[in-house]
Structure formats: C-alpha cells, structure tokens
C-alpha cells in the first residue's frame, strides 16, 4: 500500500516537472524566435514606430471684442471621478467625511441640495466592495478653479490619490464667456467630414479659420538609453487672436431690443445690424428666430448676409442714382401719381394709398412706387440693363468681404426687361442682403463716402499686433450735396406730416430712415402671400449728425404690430433711445436704464493664467441694481413674484431678475439649473435671488 502511494506521489512530481520543462522550453523558443528568427520583423516594426511623424495641434486663437474682451476662447474643463476599488482606498475616512463632503458640494455646486449630494455620495459605497465602480463620476465640466476647490474638501484633502481614489479627466473646449451674445456672427467650431481636426464651421470661426487655427507642429519618437520619448521636430505656431468690431454693450442693447419686439409681435425671426457711420465697424449684429419648442427666441441663421427681395428700403438707393444722374434736380418738382400707372405692358403699378401727385421730395416720405418708377424710367426706359450696370459702377454688386461667413452678393437680372426695371427700382425682382442695403444708407449718412462694412479690426499674437485700416468700396458714390438731399428726404420719413415712419418721432434722438414692406413667396403655393411679410427699417441716427446706421428686418409678425415702422422701426428707435440713456451718443445721460453687458457675462475658469486674468477682467460679475422700467415699477413694499429663469444663460437671467428690482447671486458656470426662491414665489423689491448654474 505504501509502495503504491509512493509511486502515485512520484508520478505527480514527474508530471509537474514535465509541465515546467515544457513551459520553460516554450519560453526559450519564443525568446529565440523573437530575437533571432523573427528579429527582422520586429526591427522593422520598431523602425516604423520611430519613423512615424505625428501632428501637434496648435492652440486656436481667441476672438475678442473691440475693447479686447474675450468672445470665444479655448478653456480646459475637468471631470472628477472616484475609484472605489483602488488598493489603499480609505473606506472608513470616506464614510466619516460624508456629511461634511455633502455640505461642501451643496455650497459650491448647488445643482443638488445637501441631502441629495449625501445620497449620491453614499450610493457607491453601499454596493459590495467587489462591485463598486472604478470610475464613478463625481462632477463634470468644471473649471480649473473648481477642481482646485474640490481638492480642499473633506476626504479629498488627504491629497494621496491612492487613498481617495480621485482621478481627473480634462478636455479642451471652445467657450463663449458671453453665452449666446452674437453667437452666429462669432461662430462655432467642430470636426468636419473631410478633416478630423477641429476647424470653424460657421461665422467668424469659419471665415477666419486659417488665421485662428495656426500652424500644426510635428513630433516623432526617438530611442534614448532607458526610454523612448516624443521629440518635437517643429513646434506648433498658435493662431492669431482676432479683434472684432463688436461692442459688447451695444450688442447687449441690440439683442435685447430685437428680442423684445419679436416677442411682442410673435414674428418668426428677425435680424438687426448696428454700424459706425465713419468707420464701417459693425458694432452689433443679432439674428434671432423662434425656438422650435415655441418658447422664446434663439440665435439663428445669419440673415444679415442672405439675399431677400428688399421692398421699399431700396427706393433711396434709386433716388440717389436719379439725383446723381440728373434725372431730377428740383426737389419741388411735381410728379403725377394717380391711382395706378401702366408701364411696359406689365400689371399696373399702384401705391398703398392714393395721391394725385407728389413733389420729388415726397416720393420717399410717402413711399410711392409710381413716383419712383416714373423717375427711374426717365433715364433707363430704353436701357434697363444700364440701371443694373449703374448699381455695379458704385460698387453695390461687389463682395463686401465683411468677414462674416456665408456672405452673398446682391442678385439682379443680368438682362432685365422694361417691366423688370420698374419693379427693381422699388424693391422687387432682386435679392439684396440687409448688410448691403445698410452699406448704402451708411454712405448717405457719411456724406457720400462708401466705407466698407467690417467685423474684423485687428490681429494679435505674442510680439505681433496689427490694426486693419478703414477701407472704402468707393471713395464716393454721390456728391455731398446729393447726400445732404437724401438725408433730408430720409428724415422726412419720420418727421414729415405724411411720413410712413412718423410713429418713430421722439424728443431724445432724431431718426432718419426708410420703411420697407415686401411680401414673401409661400413655400407651398410658390405665390406671393400677402400675410407673410418681411418688414424692414433702414436708417441712421442722430438724423442731423449721423453717428450710427442701423437696419432691422422682421419676418411674419402675427399679433399686435404689423407695420414696418411699428416692428423693425421700433427696434431701431428703442436701440437709439437706450444708447441715449447711457450717454453713448456723445451726450450726457439724463437717466439710466440698466447696467453694462460687460458686467453680466458668465464666469469661466481657466488654468491658463494669461487667459484667465483676461476673462476675469472681462466677465467679473457684480450685482447691478438698476431701476425697473416704468411698466415694471411697483410701490415700495409691494410684493413681486420671482420670474422663471431656468435654462437661461447667466446674462439673460440677470437682466430678467434685475429688471424687476431683484438682486442676484450666482454659483457655478453655464446655464441656470436651479433658482432660490423658486419662480412664482412672492418676494419684495431688493430681495436676493440665488442662481445655481450648470453646463
């Protein structure tokens, strides 16, 4: 029995020894195969890795306002995770710190209450130790400053990641510290089908991508004595920072006034452009359309550079050409009008109201289609194409090259008939982007000098700074005398007894401009629909000494206001009055309406010291207690209710709350995720509302 047992033991030892020998032999063979037999293959693979050249992406340049405030920049965002199964995780310390940790998270990240944070923090630790998560997300999309703050919280202040399980992921993201402000014009970035690199996909980001993107660098692997490391052959060159002409304060005014009127008349969309008369600098540009869910308006397609049939806002351009060509010389000359005028065999031309006759100076004031067509026919009846060539000669059909992506040029018939001529001169059978119409009005306000509209005024880089000079499409498109006559006629639109914009009179800022109404084509019937109107107002202010030109376009209002003056004209009037109230028209303000947008931007942190200091200066928010507008004022002590601001950007929420006399505090970055007190809660004027922001 003992003998058999001994044989069994020896057999097992022999089997184990054989297996060890076989395994050792396999290792020896593999070693010999790798180092001798297959050495050529592995050497080739190593050589390919060492010869591989990788691209080092450059740092994308910033987009800045006219005063240097950051409108778009690269910021690094962080996600904090916890590994509950790391080797030395201090489970007992984590449990002991739960209450204090929940307090700290609730105070600094109030998207959850203290009890909600405690419940969330406790959830992973309740699981079986072997099933606890290894990359549990504590919080995402936080700034570098918030990350540093978390490292001081109870438990995480231990500092040893092996004991706390804390891991940090980061991503570089393009950010807009001022939220949706001028979003379409500033643009956005993303990957394209053609290229996996991040490039501009619309707006200035796209138009100036070659400057903003920079020049990629090159890196390769090299073998050192103890390691293989990356070696940069060519360092990447960061992109230029682009200084735009956008004035943040004026942009804030334009966006809010456009939004206010669009909401009042329930229009589908609208756009507004504000330009400096002397320089052509686009100081503000806004494009808003109704959100798909029907709640409010959001930044939309850049309608300012898209061609539309312009309607009557084109009449001053026709009248300017008539003055320059000598088709009319005396503004008191009487033009026969009547009920209609049959011209060139087309459908008779009519006006919106009857006039037996009008003086030349009244044709613009009362927006007479017949009067304008009769004047232009004097010079171009036998040569309709000559009218288009005349527009070309003043540079009106040239690309403006404003710097706005997607810009189109005006479209006119290349060989129009006589009947087409009559329609073109008062705003049909052509397509003109609003920015082009505004450029001519700006030239009239500028004494006939046709300055080029622009959205970019300079480029900046380390040890490099350039300022782009003001340029002109044409040095002059009309004489100073004819420009003066045109300014007079445009002022009469607002101040004349029968002016189509006389509802825009006010005792603060004198406006001059032209109303325009144009029916749009129904997408289903392909016929003009008289209900679907594009309503325009284009002009400048102050009328006698113009500083700013402005064009507003409103599409398809459905309630309250249906005229060009009461919609688009009202936007321009509100902009002018708000600028006057803030002393922005070389005047001393006699009252104040609201604070400055530069003090209302969303805060964003950054681990880049240079950029962070700039952003902090630009976006440092302080509570601005400004008076309510007259219709919002309440007697002292009367209770108000907190408005609903959930989902809004910080700038929009601050404007809404402060306009009701409430003070504002906030925590976090991004959009309003929570408000205390909740909307609808009765409050007193001057009470503080706390906003919790989250990305």
């Amino acid at each position: 029995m003992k003998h058999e047992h001994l044989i069994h033991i020896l057999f097992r030892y022999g089997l184990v020894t054989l297996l060890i020998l076989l395994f050792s032999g396999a290792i020896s063979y593999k070693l010999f195969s790798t180092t001798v037999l297959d050495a050529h293959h592995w050497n080739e693979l190593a050589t390919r890795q060492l010869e591989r050249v990788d691209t080092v992406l450059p740092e994308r340049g910033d987009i800045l306002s006219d005063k240097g405030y950051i409108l778009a920049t690269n910021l690094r965002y962080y996600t904090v995770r916890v590994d509950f199964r790391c080797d030395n995780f201090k489970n007992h310390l984590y449990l002991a710190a739960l209450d204090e940790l929940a307090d700290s998270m609730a105070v600094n990240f109030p998207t959850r209450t203290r009890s909600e944070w405690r419940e969330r923090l406790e959830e992973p630790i309740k699981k079986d130790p072997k099933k606890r998560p290894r990359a549990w997300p504590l919080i995402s999309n936080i700034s570098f400053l918030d990350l540093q703050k978390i490292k001081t919280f109870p438990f995480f202040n231990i500092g040893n990641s092996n004991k706390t399980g804390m891991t940090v992921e980061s991503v570089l993201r393009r950010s807009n510290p001022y939220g949706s402000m001028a979003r379409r014009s500033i643009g956005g970035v993303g990957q394209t089908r053609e290229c996996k690199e991040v490039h501009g996909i619309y707006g200035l980001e796209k138009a100036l991508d070659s400057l903003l993107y920079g020049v990629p660098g090159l890196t390769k692997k090299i073998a050192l004595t103890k390691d293989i490391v990356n070696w940069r052959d060519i360092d990447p060159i960061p992109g230029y920072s682009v200084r735009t002409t956008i004035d943040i304060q004026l942009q804030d005014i334009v966006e809010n006034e456009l939004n206010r009127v669009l909401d009042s008349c329930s229009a589908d969309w609208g756009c507004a452009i504000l330009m400096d008369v002397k320089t052509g600098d686009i100081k503000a540009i806004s494009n808003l359309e109704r959100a798909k869910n029907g709640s409010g308006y959001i930044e939309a397609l850049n309608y300012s550079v898209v061609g539309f049939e312009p309607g009557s806002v084109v009449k001053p351009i026709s009248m300017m050409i008539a003055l320059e060509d000598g088709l009319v010389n005396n503004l008191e000359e009487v033009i026969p009008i009547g009920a209609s005028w049959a011209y060139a065999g087309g459908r008779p031309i009519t006006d919106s109201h009857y006039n037996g006759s009008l003086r030349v100076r009244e044709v613009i004031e009362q927006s007479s289609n017949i009067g304008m067509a009769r004047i232009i026919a004097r010079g171009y009846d036998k040569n309709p194409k000559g009218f288009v060539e005349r527009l070309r000669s003043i540079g009106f059909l040239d690309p403006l090259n404003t710097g706005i992506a997607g810009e189109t040029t005006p479209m006119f018939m290349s060989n129009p008939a006589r009947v087409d001529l009559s329609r073109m001169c008062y705003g049909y059978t052509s397509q003109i982007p609003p920015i082009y119409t505004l450029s001519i009005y700006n030239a009239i306000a500028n004494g006939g000098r046709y300055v080029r509209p622009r959205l970019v005024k300079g480029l900046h880089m380390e040890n490099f700074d350039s300022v782009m000079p003001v340029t002109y499409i044409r040095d002059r498109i009309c004489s100073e005398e004819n420009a003066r006559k045109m300014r007079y006629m445009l002022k009469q639109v607002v101040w004349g007894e029968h002016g189509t914009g006389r509802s825009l009179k006010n005792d603060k800022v004198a406006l001059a401009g032209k109303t325009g109404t144009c029916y749009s084509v129904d997408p289903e019937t392909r016929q003009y629909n008289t209900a679907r109107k594009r309503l325009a107002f284009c002009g400048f202010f102050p009328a006698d000494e113009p500083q700013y030109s402005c064009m507003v376009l409103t599409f398809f209002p459905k309630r309250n206001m249906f005229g060009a003056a009461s919609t688009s004209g009202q936007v321009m009037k509100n902009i002018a009055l708000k600028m006057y109230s803030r002393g922005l028209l070389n005047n001393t303000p006699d009252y104040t309406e609201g604070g400055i947008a530069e003090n209302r931007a969303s805060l964003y942190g950054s681990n880049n010291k240079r950029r962070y200091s700039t952003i902090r200066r630009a976006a440092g928010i302080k509570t601005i207690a400004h008076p309510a507008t007259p219709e919002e004022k309440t007697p002292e002590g009367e209770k108000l209710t907190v408005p609903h601001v959930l989902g809004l950007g910080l700038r929009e929420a601050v404007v809404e709350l402060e306009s009701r006399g409430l003070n504002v505090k906030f925590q976090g970055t991004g959009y309003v995720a929570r408000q205390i007190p909740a909307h609808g809660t009765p409050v007193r004027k001057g009470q503080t509302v706390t906003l919790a922001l989250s990305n």
Side-chain angles (χ1 to χ4, degrees), residues 114 129 188 299 361 373 469 494 571 652 684:
R114 177 190 177 280
E299 269 289 326
R361 60 179 172 81
V494 176
V571 174
E652 292 83 2
R684 291 185 178 275

Side-chain angles (χ1 to χ4, degrees), residues 181-318:
M181 178 178 284
R183 190 73 178 87
R184 271 284 160 182
S185 299
I186 294 167
V189 299
Q191 292 181 336
T192 62
R193 292 181 180 178
E194 298 78 15
C195 180
K196 295 302 181 182
E197 297 172 357
V198 175
H199 289 277
I201 53 178
Y202 64 92
L204 274 177
E205 296 274 22
K206 179 179 180 181
L208 303 174
D209 186 69
S210 60
L211 295 172
L212 291 164
Y213 183 69
V215 180
L218 297 176
T219 183
K220 65 181 181 182
K221 305 263 185 200
I222 63 169
L224 301 179
T225 305
K226 295 183 178 181
D227 200 1
I228 295 178
V229 298
N230 288 323
W231 181 271
R232 284 191 181 181
D233 277 349
I234 301 175
D235 287 328
I237 300 174
Y240 289 98
S241 288
V242 176
R243 186 185 290 267
T244 70
T245 59
I246 296 293
D247 183 301
I248 293 174
Q249 188 175 7
L250 297 182
Q251 181 70 35
D252 186 54
I253 291 172
V254 169
E255 285 189 8
N256 281 297
E257 297 310 322
L258 178 62
N259 188 89
R260 192 192 306 272
V261 170
L262 291 180
D263 188 60
S264 297
C265 67
S266 191
D268 279 6
W269 57 260
C271 78
I273 317 162
L274 183 69
M275 193 159 74
D276 184 286
V277 167
K278 299 298 182 185
T279 64
D281 288 354
I282 298 171
K283 308 307 292 183
I285 182 168
S286 181
N287 299 272
L288 300 177
E289 69 180 7
R290 184 179 296 281
K292 291 183 178 179
N293 61 9
S295 59
Y297 290 85
I298 59 174
E299 269 289 326
L301 170 73
N302 207 328
Y303 293 105
S304 62
V305 293
V306 177
F308 301 100
E309 281 190 314
S312 294
V313 288
V314 86
K315 288 173 183 172
I317 303 176
S318 300

Side-chain angles (χ1 to χ4, degrees), residues 430-671:
S430 59
Q431 292 188 347
I432 304 174
I435 188 70
Y436 278 79
T437 303
L438 178 61
S439 70
I440 296 292
Y441 279 69
N442 193 84
I444 292 170
N446 198 23
R449 301 202 70 193
Y450 195 6
V451 67
R452 185 181 301 278
R454 63 176 186 172
L455 200 54
V456 177
K457 64 187 302 184
L459 300 175
H460 303 270
M461 189 187 285
E462 189 174 357
N463 301 322
F464 177 86
D465 193 0
S466 73
V467 177
M468 297 181 179
V470 174
T471 60
Y472 294 85
I473 301 170
R474 296 289 187 275
D475 184 64
R476 183 170 296 283
I477 59 172
C478 69
S479 67
E480 290 190 15
E481 177 61 20
N482 284 334
R484 185 190 62 77
K485 291 177 180 178
M486 289 304 308
R487 289 197 297 272
Y488 165 76
M489 285 187 273
L490 290 169
K491 184 177 180 181
Q492 288 301 103
V493 171
V494 176
W495 295 88
E497 184 179 355
H498 302 289
T500 56
R502 58 188 180 278
S503 64
L504 304 177
K505 291 180 185 177
N506 68 88
D507 60 355
K508 298 290 189 303
V509 185
L511 307 181
K514 181 71 186 73
T515 54
T517 301
C518 187
Y519 303 129
S520 65
V521 176
D522 190 295
E524 295 182 1
T525 65
R526 308 305 302 170
Q527 301 292 323
Y528 281 112
N529 185 334
T530 56
R532 295 169 60 88
K533 297 177 181 178
R534 280 190 302 274
L535 304 169
F537 191 86
C538 190
F540 44 84
F541 58 88
D544 297 322
E545 295 182 3
Q547 297 177 43
Y548 294 93
S549 59
C550 181
M551 180 161 183
V552 184
L553 192 61
T554 306
F555 179 67
F556 200 6
K558 303 175 187 64
R559 67 182 185 196
N560 299 332
M561 303 174 291
F562 300 94
S566 59
T567 54
S568 296
Q570 189 63 41
V571 174
M572 179 171 155
K573 176 182 176 180
N574 292 349
I575 291 170
L577 289 177
K578 189 63 69 71
M579 290 174 66
Y580 178 85
S581 73
R582 298 186 184 181
L584 301 176
L585 296 176
N586 295 332
N587 65 297
T588 301
D590 58 351
Y591 64 103
T592 301
E593 291 187 7
I596 298 175
E598 286 138 347
N599 294 325
R600 293 182 181 158
S602 303
L603 277 175
Y604 288 78
S606 171
N607 62 336
N608 182 315
K609 292 182 179 179
R610 176 182 63 84
R611 287 193 172 166
Y612 175 67
S613 62
T614 305
I615 293 171
R616 185 173 59 186
R617 289 195 303 270
I621 297 178
K622 59 183 179 182
T623 301
I624 309 165
H626 66 84
T629 54
E631 62 272 20
E632 292 172 328
K633 285 184 178 178
T634 58
E636 187 65 32
E638 182 179 332
K639 287 189 176 181
L640 307 168
T641 57
V642 180
H644 187 282
V645 295
L646 295 178
L648 296 181
L650 180 58
R651 182 171 62 88
E652 292 83 2
V654 169
V655 171
E656 178 66 23
L657 292 168
E658 290 185 349
S659 69
R660 305 196 178 210
L662 300 173
N663 294 326
V664 182
K665 289 184 179 179
F666 74 94
Q667 293 171 322
T669 61
Y671 298 89

